[in-house]
Amino acid sequence: MGEVKFSGISWTHDSKGFFYSRYPAPKEGENVDAGTETDSNLNQQLYYHFLGTGQSEDILCWRDPENPKHFVAGGITDDGKYLVLTIGESCDPVNKLYYCDISSLHEGLEGFRNKDGLLPFVKLIDTFDAQYEAIANDGTVFTFLTNKDAPKYKVVRVDLKEPSNWIDVIPEAEKDVLESVYAVNVNKLIVSYLSDVKYVLQVRNLKTGSLLHQLPIDIGSVYGISARREDSVAFIGFTSFLTPGIVYQCNLGTETPDMKIFREISVPGFDRSEYEVNQVFVPSKDGTKIPMFIVGRKNINLDGSHPCLLYGYGGFNISLTPTFSVSRIVLTRHLGAFYCVANIRGGGEYGEEWHKAGALSKKQNCFDDFISAAEYLISAGYTRSEKLCIEGGSNGGLLIGACINQRPDLFGCALAHVGVLDMLRFHKFTIGHAWTSDYGCSDKEEEFHWLIKYSPLHNVRRPWEQHPDQPLQYPPTMLLTADHDDRVVPLHTLKYLATLQYVLCTSLEKSPQTNPIVGRIECKAGHGAGRPTQKMIEEASDRYGFMAKMLGVSWIE
């Protein structure tokens, strides 16, 4: 299957085939090394593929040439009757929602094999004012998870026969964010909330939304729930900073839900009792309290002598919740380091308001939050500047670039993975046009002025000229990218690396910049997902080896 990108698959219940999303094939003669192209991704379409046939025979189900930047996805309902089409225009949590009753198609999907027409969709939601995710349906009565007038999300219901009459099933919570909802055991829902960046699991009544049970889980993250509506058993994936991974089997067919461990990942040599996790709330520049997790060995004296790795992201409504990392446990165990995660604004940790507080004209809040977290780690005795390494990837790579530009004095090392670093031109390459919902676009004058203030590529300055009274320079920095990254194309990293090299070094006869700034370019790899284990190990060894060398840290057995 070619040209498939930003797509899942959804099988029809007769198992004859599946729906999927794809982009048009390159024009004849355009022999591109897939993954190295930089042209914008446009005109995504929805297709149906029959098993045992060539892709050229697939049915085109939906296209919209008047809106080439839209994304499309199709999903079959649990009863197999409806195809639900969701249409997005950016990375904002908003979508249109159409449906097609495929059970009423006269000749089924086969009847469209030799037709030019698209499937007969009915438009239920035809504006981009909120997000709608189908949870369940009983005939024409549909239940949705939405943020319509509810930045922390709620569950609503509508009958397709009365599309203007929507009712709330689970109202928006005052503080906690409703993360996911799954229908199971015919008439029940498993819902997960995010409460101060920690997951809470509940069982509720599908019809009324009323709370039936709290499910017992440790402090950590629910990373997946696998459940079918007709089954009484659900499987729940769980992880935390000190839990490599557990899959719980939850039986909802009993009076009280029965949770037991179905599978558990064991890491040889890892003893969780040797470590502790603390959560602190750090005041940012404007006084907003920013949550931060701190992971380290127990009983460490906070005398400022310890290496510390501070990680952040802060964008696109994405929440950084507790997850296990072997490589970072190695840092705490064998380098005596603290590993910290700052839940800065721009993420989804407290819902859409928290996201918007770190986007567009307010993007500087992300950098202020991260800098405040770093300053806290120093003032509280966890580390000192020359022992503090910062790390982030993608939008988090932008975070690192902006922070070393703005506060080169604060950090002892920086690791920026596949970063968005040219904020004036990002929208011109592959899927960058979708990010304007978080960043803005330099083609608009007002938004250009937001971007030029912090764009890492355009704000490289010589620290020793800005502060002549201090012997300042950029911290040791590793910029990482990959030659087949078609999400954040490598030109971002390469241009920033070249600009740092010129401004700080080659444009001067004798530069005070002696700290190394290096690029690491992975070959035959992309933005990160799906990377082979060997490549992951090699990259982790390189970046944390660089960190250890730059921070002057020795290996502890």
Side-chain angles (χ1 to χ4, degrees):
M1 308 291 287
E3 314 309 322
V4 180
K5 187 176 178 184
F6 311 121
S7 175
I9 63 173
S10 186
W11 291 84
T12 46
H13 282 209
D14 58 11
S15 299
K16 289 182 178 178
F18 54 83
F19 293 96
Y20 71 101
S21 308
R22 59 163 292 184
Y23 286 94
K27 291 173 184 162
E28 218 168 306
E30 289 182 0
N31 189 13
V32 179
D33 180 8
T36 63
E37 67 274 12
T38 58
D39 293 345
S40 287
N41 299 136
L42 300 173
N43 294 301
Q44 194 179 39
Q45 301 161 346
L46 184 71
Y47 278 84
Y48 183 78
H49 175 72
F50 287 97
L51 289 186
T53 66
Q55 191 177 10
S56 61
E57 296 179 48
D58 292 354
I59 295 171
L60 175 61
C61 303
W62 178 262
R63 69 178 168 196
D64 185 2
E66 292 181 11
N67 293 290
K69 292 181 179 179
H70 284 182
F71 307 98
V72 295
I76 293 290
T77 53
D78 274 351
D79 62 5
K81 291 183 178 180
Y82 292 92
L83 171 63
V84 177
L85 176 70
T86 54
I87 301 170
E89 64 171 349
S90 68
C91 290
D92 256 358
V94 296
N95 61 272
K96 295 181 179 182
L97 193 138
Y98 306 164
Y99 65 90
C100 173
D101 182 355
I102 57 175
S103 69
S104 67
L105 299 176
H106 178 56
E107 299 175 68
L109 290 166
E110 285 89 346
F112 284 81
R113 273 185 145 163
N114 301 310
K115 288 184 183 177
D116 290 333
L118 306 175
L119 293 188
F121 283 99
V122 178
K123 298 177 179 181
L124 180 63
I125 303 291
D126 200 27
T127 57
F128 289 118
D129 70 335
Q131 185 174 41
Y132 297 86
E133 179 187 327
I135 297 164
N137 72 295
D138 290 292
T140 58
V141 178
F142 274 70
T143 304
F144 293 98
L145 173 66
T146 183
N147 57 7
K148 172 71 172 172
D149 303 321
K152 292 182 177 65
Y153 292 80
K154 64 182 179 180
V155 175
V156 296
R157 184 167 295 135
V158 67
D159 190 331
L160 302 181
K161 295 173 183 172
E162 300 178 59
S164 61
N165 185 21
W166 294 72
I167 61 167
D168 287 359
V169 180
I170 303 177
E172 179 188 26
E174 188 178 334
K175 186 183 176 201
D176 297 345
V177 183
L178 183 52
E179 281 280 299
S180 67
V181 185
Y182 293 88
V184 65
N185 199 28
V186 183
N187 60 356
K188 293 187 177 73
L189 297 172
I190 296 180
V191 304
S192 67
Y193 283 94
L194 203 53
S195 178
D196 279 332
V197 207
K198 299 175 288 288
Y199 276 79
V200 174
L201 270 184
Q202 298 176 346
V203 179
R204 288 180 175 262
N205 183 287
L206 170 60
K207 191 172 182 181
T208 66
S210 58
L211 177 62
L212 302 175
H213 305 282
Q214 296 274 5
L215 295 178
I217 57 166
D218 201 354
I219 291 173
S221 304
V222 173
Y223 65 78
I225 297 175
S226 179
R228 292 187 302 191
R229 187 168 174 192
E230 64 265 30
D231 293 341
S232 60
V233 173
F235 294 92
I236 300 165
F238 176 83
T239 184
S240 74
F241 291 117
L242 303 180
T243 307
I246 294 175
V247 177
Y248 291 104
Q249 181 176 322
C250 180
N251 186 357
L252 296 172
T254 53
E255 191 174 334
T256 304
D258 177 32
M259 286 263 287
K260 62 184 181 183
I261 293 175
F262 178 71
R263 293 284 187 275
E264 184 168 12
I265 297 170
S266 174
V267 176
F270 171 68
D271 180 358
R272 65 173 292 161
S273 68
E274 296 175 6
Y275 306 87
E276 63 182 2
V277 179
N278 291 304
Q279 187 183 33
V280 296
F281 293 84
V282 179
S284 188
K285 186 177 181 180
D286 63 1
T288 302
K289 294 289 178 68
I290 307 303
M292 176 165 61
F293 289 105
I294 303 173
V295 185
R297 298 290 290 263
K298 287 182 177 176
N299 305 317
I300 291 184
N301 185 24
L302 299 184
D303 58 3
S305 67
H306 310 288
C308 189
L309 177 66
L310 174 62
Y311 186 87
Y313 185 80
F316 297 97
N317 200 38
I318 291 170
S319 304
L320 293 186
T321 61
T323 54
F324 188 82
S325 165
V326 169
S327 59
R328 286 161 186 157
I329 285 293
V330 167
L331 302 184
T332 61
R333 179 174 180 175
H334 292 293
L335 298 183
F338 288 102
Y339 166 54
C340 311
V341 177
N343 298 109
I344 61 178
R345 282 172 284 186
E349 286 87 349
Y350 293 99
E352 189 55 13
E353 291 161 339
W354 190 257
H355 168 217
K356 291 298 185 192
L360 301 175
S361 63
K362 298 176 180 176
K363 189 65 183 172
Q364 182 61 38
N365 283 340
C366 303
F367 316 135
D368 291 341
D369 292 355
F370 198 66
I371 288 166
S372 297
E375 290 174 332
Y376 170 84
L377 291 168
I378 294 166
S379 65
Y382 287 95
T383 191
R384 57 181 187 269
S385 287
E386 54 267 35
K387 294 281 188 182
L388 175 60
C389 179
I390 54 173
E391 182 177 26
S394 199
N395 172 75
L398 157 63
L399 171 70
I400 302 307
C403 286
I404 61 173
N405 281 351
Q406 295 180 16
R407 289 294 306 274
D409 60 303
L410 190 56
F411 315 110
C413 185
L415 307 170
H417 306 240
V418 294
V420 185
L421 301 164
D422 181 351
M423 300 309 296
L424 300 188
R425 290 173 60 80
F426 70 86
H427 60 288
K428 296 178 181 289
F429 311 110
T430 63
I431 202 60
H433 58 79
W435 313 335
T436 57
S437 56
D438 244 57
Y439 299 142
C441 179
S442 63
D443 293 344
K444 299 176 182 176
E445 185 178 355
E446 181 189 8
E447 297 174 10
F448 170 88
H449 289 293
W450 304 341
L451 294 161
I452 194 67
K453 286 178 183 173
Y454 70 80
S455 174
L457 180 66
H458 302 94
N459 285 280
V460 177
R461 307 282 185 266
R462 296 168 182 154
W464 53 87
E465 292 179 357
Q466 294 181 293
H467 304 277
D469 55 329
Q470 300 175 51
L472 289 183
Q473 58 175 310
Y474 268 70
T477 301
M478 179 180 280
L479 304 174
L480 301 96
T481 187
D483 63 353
H484 285 69
D485 187 344
D486 63 351
R487 181 79 62 92
V488 180
V489 290
L491 62 84
H492 285 273
T493 293
L494 301 178
K495 287 165 72 175
Y496 186 51
L497 189 63
T499 302
L500 288 165
Q501 182 183 39
Y502 176 75
V503 173
L504 301 179
C505 297
T506 58
S507 60
L508 298 170
E509 199 167 303
K510 193 173 181 185
S511 171
Q513 180 67 38
T514 55
N515 289 332
I517 297 174
V518 301
R520 185 189 190 280
I521 304 168
E522 185 63 78
C523 297
K524 297 182 180 178
H527 197 57
R531 190 168 290 187
T533 303
Q534 187 59 40
K535 282 187 183 290
M536 292 170 67
I537 292 170
E538 289 168 357
E539 186 195 276
S541 301
D542 286 351
R543 70 180 192 266
Y544 292 139
F546 178 79
M547 180 193 92
K549 175 104 174 149
M550 294 303 106
L551 301 185
V553 181
S554 301
W555 185 266
I556 307 163
E557 278 302 334

